[in-house]
Amino acid sequence: MTNSDLLLQNINAEKPFPIAFSDLEQAAKEKLEAGPFGYIQSGAGNEQTLRNNRAAFEKYSITPRFLRDVSKLDTSISLFGKTFPTPLLFAPVGMNGMEHPDGEPAVARAAEKLAIPYIQSTVSTFSMEDVAKAAPNSTRLFQLYWSKNEDISYSMVERAEKAGFSAIVLTVDTVMLGWRTEDVRNQFSPLKLGFAKGNYMQDPVFRATLPDDSFESYVASVIDNVYHPHMTWEHVAELKMRTTLPIYLKGILHPDDAQLALDNGIDGIIVSNHGGRQLDGVIGSLDALPSIVEVVAGRVPVILDSGVYSGIDVLKALALGADAVAIGRPFVYGLALAGQAGVEQVMQNIYEEFKVSIALAGAASIAEAHKLQLVKG
């Protein structure tokens, strides 16, 4: 990740790794079977939320400033008590063994090499302990899906603490699975195929609930536990008492919920609509961002997730007040194409485009990016 002319670095005699998101997605489609590709690519229902995410980015335009010294870029951010060289995070994406046999450890190793925080999903093919062993020097956050059996949730949080994770990311928009038409069309469920077993099958509390050691018992118990429509702010408060780790809430879209998060002592907010995969007909995450930034007023970090496919997307999110930006589908496609090397290449491409974009917009730091003017229309 150098600061020299980044465009010319990518023009050489070698066939380039897909750079544009559309090319990356097409390459992944050609490599993966219909079921796994559809699971990654699709959104819920008629995919209005999926489209809203992209439409939100496309309707904002940057008004650049010129004749500013951008020769020395500082793209660093501070989160979780640490400083990172980029404003990027790896969003939690489950069941990575579906895309590549190296799965989550490959992503974590890429994150460690690039010094980008990695959020590991509850529904991972590999356990949090496996990931910690694979990338011991990475900054890792554990994304928690609440369980109907709350003791399983607390057990996983305790394991995350012991495994050296830096924070808990509690996802609040998945009290049940969204209506995912493409998965029904393909008759495909990676959960039922066992791609989510890593954390569950290494959890002593979860295993103690199983009637036997059969694969069928595991699947039935996971499906039962991911359905938890009773979850409320009281559970958030109890979780805070059960861990010393910072807690970030992922899935916040309404400013009133952002205020409630602050009232409940939450340490950070991830503005997200689950990549369009939960409730259809939902506001694009970028459209939800400004009102939440206004409510939070700098008291806790605000991270933007969902629909971020490029470096210019990252810049627009920062200009609207995000402190950092999470990348999801792009790195998963990179994983499918080339394992750890593919993940690294995708994230490097996004970061390099971001560096070009922030400089051409007339900003030399994240603080200056926050002051850029966007026009909506």
Side-chain angles (χ1 to χ4, degrees):
M1 296 186 182
T2 65
N3 285 317
S4 57
D5 197 296
L6 299 172
L7 174 64
L8 296 182
Q9 288 179 26
N10 283 283
I11 299 176
N12 52 52
E14 299 178 4
K15 182 179 179 180
F17 190 86
I19 293 178
F21 178 77
S22 58
D23 294 339
L24 186 65
E25 189 168 72
Q26 180 61 35
K29 183 177 182 179
E30 293 171 0
K31 183 158 188 176
L32 294 169
E33 295 181 358
F37 176 76
Y39 180 85
I40 302 162
Q41 182 277 328
S42 65
N46 194 41
E47 299 189 331
Q48 181 188 345
T49 305
L50 192 67
R51 295 190 298 274
N52 285 351
N53 280 336
R54 291 310 308 157
F57 280 101
E58 291 169 4
K59 68 188 173 189
Y60 283 100
S61 299
I62 298 168
T63 306
R65 299 295 305 275
F66 298 115
L67 298 175
R68 293 182 168 189
D69 184 357
V70 292
S71 60
K72 296 180 180 179
L73 294 179
D74 179 7
T75 62
S76 64
I77 60 169
S78 295
L79 284 175
F80 328 117
K82 300 178 181 179
T83 299
F84 302 96
T86 86
L88 306 179
L89 287 83
F90 283 87
V93 181
M95 299 178 278
N96 290 164
M98 176 176 57
E99 298 92 33
H100 193 279
D102 293 343
E104 289 82 12
V107 182
R109 285 192 293 268
E112 181 178 71
K113 184 174 180 180
L114 299 174
I116 296 175
Y118 168 66
I119 309 176
Q120 183 181 354
S121 172
T122 293
V123 290
S124 296
T125 305
F126 291 79
S127 72
M128 64 183 86
E129 291 85 2
D130 292 333
V131 167
K133 184 177 180 180
N137 296 316
S138 63
T139 297
R140 304 177 306 278
L141 292 74
F142 182 68
Q143 176 271 326
L144 177 66
Y145 282 129
W146 200 252
S147 287
K148 181 184 294 186
N149 181 340
E150 295 169 11
D151 288 337
I152 296 173
S153 300
Y154 301 133
S155 176
M156 288 197 179
V157 169
E158 182 179 355
R159 287 168 56 207
E161 290 182 352
K162 291 179 179 178
F165 283 68
S166 298
I168 301 298
V169 175
L170 177 63
T171 295
V172 298
D173 61 8
T174 314
V175 298
M176 62 188 73
L177 295 179
W179 187 258
R180 299 173 185 175
T181 308
E182 184 70 9
D183 294 340
V184 176
R185 181 181 294 119
N186 292 325
Q187 289 293 286
F188 182 78
S189 170
L191 191 153
K192 287 188 174 183
L193 293 174
F195 286 110
K197 67 181 181 180
N199 283 315
Y200 286 104
M201 291 308 289
Q202 290 199 32
D203 192 90
V205 176
F206 175 81
R207 289 184 62 87
T209 66
L210 300 179
D212 55 58
D213 290 331
S214 69
F215 180 76
E216 291 75 16
S217 291
Y218 146 74
V219 171
S221 185
V222 170
I223 291 174
D224 180 56
N225 273 289
V226 297
Y227 183 82
H228 52 275
H230 61 285
M231 186 181 180
T232 68
W233 288 102
E234 293 180 0
H235 296 92
V236 174
E238 179 65 21
L239 178 62
K240 277 194 64 65
M241 292 191 291
R242 297 287 192 113
T243 182
T244 59
L245 294 178
I247 297 177
Y248 282 56
L249 292 190
K250 178 176 178 289
I252 298 298
L253 294 169
H254 197 291
D256 289 352
D257 284 338
Q259 183 60 58
L260 285 169
L262 295 173
D263 294 343
N264 281 272
I266 289 301
D267 301 285
I269 290 173
I270 301 181
V271 180
S272 171
N273 58 30
H274 215 97
R277 295 174 51 75
Q278 275 300 100
L279 177 61
D280 198 18
V282 166
I283 185 174
S285 288
L286 192 71
D287 281 333
L289 178 63
S291 63
I292 292 176
V293 168
E294 182 178 2
V295 167
V296 171
R299 285 174 283 181
V300 299
V302 176
I303 299 168
L304 189 281
D305 168 82
S306 298
V308 185
Y309 296 163
S310 67
I312 195 67
D313 291 345
V314 173
L315 181 58
K316 289 180 180 180
L318 294 172
L320 288 176
D323 296 295
V325 181
I327 308 296
R329 284 183 180 90
F331 89 74
V332 179
Y333 290 148
L335 177 67
L337 293 178
Q340 178 183 341
V343 174
E344 292 176 14
Q345 189 63 65
V346 166
M347 297 299 278
Q348 285 176 322
N349 286 345
I350 290 174
Y351 178 57
E352 288 179 359
E353 183 190 356
F354 167 71
K355 287 201 293 182
V356 170
S357 301
I358 190 174
L360 289 175
S365 67
I366 304 303
E368 290 182 7
H370 287 156
K371 298 176 183 178
L372 289 173
Q373 182 183 85
L374 294 190
V375 176
K376 184 178 180 180

